[in-house]
Amino acid sequence: MLKRTLTASIITVLALGAATACSSNSGSSASSGSGGSGGTPTVKLMAGGLDKQIYLPYQLAENLGFYKKYGVKVELSTEQNGGVGAEEAMASGQVDMAGAWYNHTIEFQAKGKAVEDVVQLSGAPGEREMCTKKSGVTSAADFKGKTLGVTDLGSGTDTLTQFMAAKKGVKTGQFHRLAVGAGSTAVAALKNGKADCVMTTQPTVAAVEKKGVGTSAIDLATTDGAKAALGGPFPGASVLARTDWVNSHKDAVQKVVDALVATMHWINTHSAADIANKLPASYVQNQLVTKTDYIKALTEDKGQFLPDGIMPAGGPKTALATEKLVGSVTSSVDLGKTFTNEFALNANKKEGFTTTTTPAGANG
C-alpha cells in the first residue's frame, strides 16, 4: 500500500460481472497459486505493514484459520522501510498478491500494466492527519507554509496530502512534504518539531495522542470521515494482483477471497477486543501502544472496514479524482478493468452472507 506511488445491497450481479476485468477475460482457471498444480494452492501475499490496523485482515484470516478452512495456503510477508513496496513486489512477480491500496491499480494502468483489485477490505484510507497544537492546522486549508509528514514521498499518504490541499486551494509548492515513515519515526517528527503534521495510521495515532505531541485534525480513518474530506468513499486496503495471474489462477484467487470475506464478516460481528485477542501479541502491545490503547483505537476506527469485501459505488471515482488532481495520472483510465466484484460476490453467496455495501459499476 503505502510506500510506493499511490495503496450493500447487490443491485445487479449480471451488470457487475460485465463490469469486471476478470469476467471480461476468458483466462484459464488454475487450481493452484504459486505452489504448482494439484492439492492445496499456495499464494504469496505481501502487505504494506501487517502490524498496521488498516491491514489487520490479512493476518487475522490466518489466525482465525480461514485460509486453511477455504483450502489455500497463504504465505504472508510485510514490506520493509527502504525496501520494495508490496504493490511493486506483486507487479514484478516476487509475490502473487499485494495487500495494498486500490488506487495503485489506476497508476499501473496508466503505465500500461494490467493490475486489478480482487477484494476490497476498506472504504477509507484508515489515516489521520495528526498535528501539533502549535501548528494551528484544523483543516487542509491551513497547510500553506507547513511541513507535512508522509510515509514516503510518492506514497499513498503523499498523494492524499496533496489532494486535500488542492481541494482547499493550497498548491503543492506552498507547503513542504517530508518522509517520516510510521511508528516511532513519525512520532519523533512531531515531538522534535521537524513536522507540523503527519499523516499516519493506528497504532501510531494512539502513540501520538498518548505522548501528547499531536491530535487528530483530519479524519480519514472512517468511511464517513473519508467522504467528508475527500468527497466520497476512498477504497483503501485491498488485495491486488496482475490480471494475467488472476485469469490463470481463478480457483486460488477465489479461495483467498473466500477467506478474507469471511474475515470481514467476522470483524463486523465482533468487538475490537475480540479482534485484538486474535492478533499476534506484538501487534497490539509494543513500544508504541498498550493493548488497551490498541483496542480503544480500533474501536474508534473499525468503521473503515467493509463487511463484505465489495468495492463500494463511487470509490473508484474518488480514487481516480485524487490521482488526476495531483497529476499522478494524466491519461484516460478504464475503471472497470481496475477492480472486480466477481470473487467477493461468489464468496458472500457461498456462505449466505447478507451484503450491505452498494457495489460499484463499470464506471466506478
Side-chain angles (χ1 to χ4, degrees):
M1 132 66 185
L2 295 179
K3 291 177 65 241
R4 297 294 183 266
T5 58
L6 244 190
T7 23
S9 299
I10 301 174
I11 298 176
T12 307
V13 173
L14 291 177
L16 280 168
T20 61
C22 286
S23 59
S24 63
N25 293 292
S26 60
S28 60
S29 177
S31 61
S32 64
S34 57
S37 60
T40 301
T42 297
V43 174
K44 295 179 180 179
L45 189 157
M46 179 185 286
L50 287 171
D51 59 345
K52 295 178 180 179
Q53 278 193 6
I54 59 172
Y55 290 142
L56 70 82
Y58 311 115
Q59 185 64 55
L60 182 60
E62 172 68 26
N63 290 12
L64 291 173
F66 286 168
Y67 294 132
K68 182 177 181 180
K69 175 181 177 180
Y70 290 99
V72 61
K73 179 181 179 183
V74 176
E75 296 180 351
L76 295 171
S77 60
T78 190
E79 66 179 40
Q80 303 297 321
N81 286 335
V84 64
E87 69 281 355
E88 295 294 345
M90 171 274 301
S92 64
Q94 296 177 50
V95 295
D96 305 311
M97 293 177 156
W101 280 6
Y102 156 74
N103 68 288
H104 291 300
T105 65
I106 296 173
E107 296 167 348
F108 278 125
Q109 186 180 125
K111 296 175 182 177
K113 298 180 180 180
V115 171
E116 62 191 78
D117 178 338
V118 298
V119 61
Q120 188 59 44
L121 308 183
S122 68
E127 308 277 346
R128 288 181 182 275
E129 191 74 39
M130 304 300 294
C131 301
T132 64
K133 187 177 296 185
K134 183 180 178 181
S135 72
V137 173
T138 58
S139 79
D142 303 316
F143 282 178
K144 188 175 181 179
K146 302 297 189 297
T147 296
L148 307 176
V150 297
T151 308
D152 198 1
L153 297 182
S155 68
T157 54
D158 190 13
T159 297
L160 285 177
T161 297
Q162 295 178 68
F163 179 70
M164 290 193 301
K167 282 179 70 68
K168 294 295 185 179
V170 181
K171 298 179 180 179
T172 299
Q174 293 179 308
F175 57 90
H176 177 61
R177 293 133 54 218
L178 178 69
V180 299
S184 58
T185 54
V187 175
L190 290 173
K191 184 178 180 180
N192 299 332
K194 291 184 177 180
D196 297 294
C197 304
V198 300
M199 185 180 288
T200 191
T201 65
Q202 299 287 7
T204 307
V205 166
V208 168
E209 292 176 331
K210 189 170 185 179
K211 293 179 181 295
V213 296
T215 57
S216 176
I218 304 173
D219 168 24
L220 298 178
T222 62
T223 303
D224 288 343
K227 288 179 179 178
L230 305 176
F234 185 94
S238 63
V239 173
L240 312 182
R242 299 180 311 280
T243 297
D244 61 347
W245 188 89
V246 172
N247 288 336
S248 60
H249 297 81
K250 285 196 171 185
D251 180 66
V253 173
Q254 186 63 65
K255 290 176 178 179
V256 171
V257 175
D258 288 346
L260 286 170
V261 166
T263 301
M264 303 318 292
H265 279 275
W266 194 92
I267 289 172
N268 189 51
T269 56
H270 287 75
S271 69
D274 291 335
I275 296 168
N277 288 335
K278 289 294 184 179
L279 292 171
S282 61
Y283 288 16
V284 302
Q285 186 169 353
N286 48 53
Q287 70 273 19
L288 284 177
V289 293
T290 65
K291 190 171 183 179
T292 299
D293 295 330
Y294 187 94
I295 292 171
K296 179 178 181 292
L298 182 55
T299 300
E300 293 175 354
D301 294 352
K302 197 159 81 84
Q304 69 188 273
F305 295 115
L306 300 171
D308 41 34
I310 293 172
M311 174 63 77
K317 285 184 177 180
T318 304
L320 179 58
T322 67
E323 297 290 341
K324 287 192 171 183
L325 190 59
V326 303
S328 297
V329 172
T330 57
S331 58
S332 61
V333 173
D334 184 345
L335 289 176
K337 292 182 178 179
T338 63
F339 70 95
T340 174
N341 277 320
E342 174 188 353
F343 299 105
L345 290 172
N346 288 342
N348 281 285
K349 182 178 180 180
K350 178 183 297 183
E351 292 297 338
F353 292 138
T354 299
T355 58
T356 57
T357 302
T358 300
N363 64 355

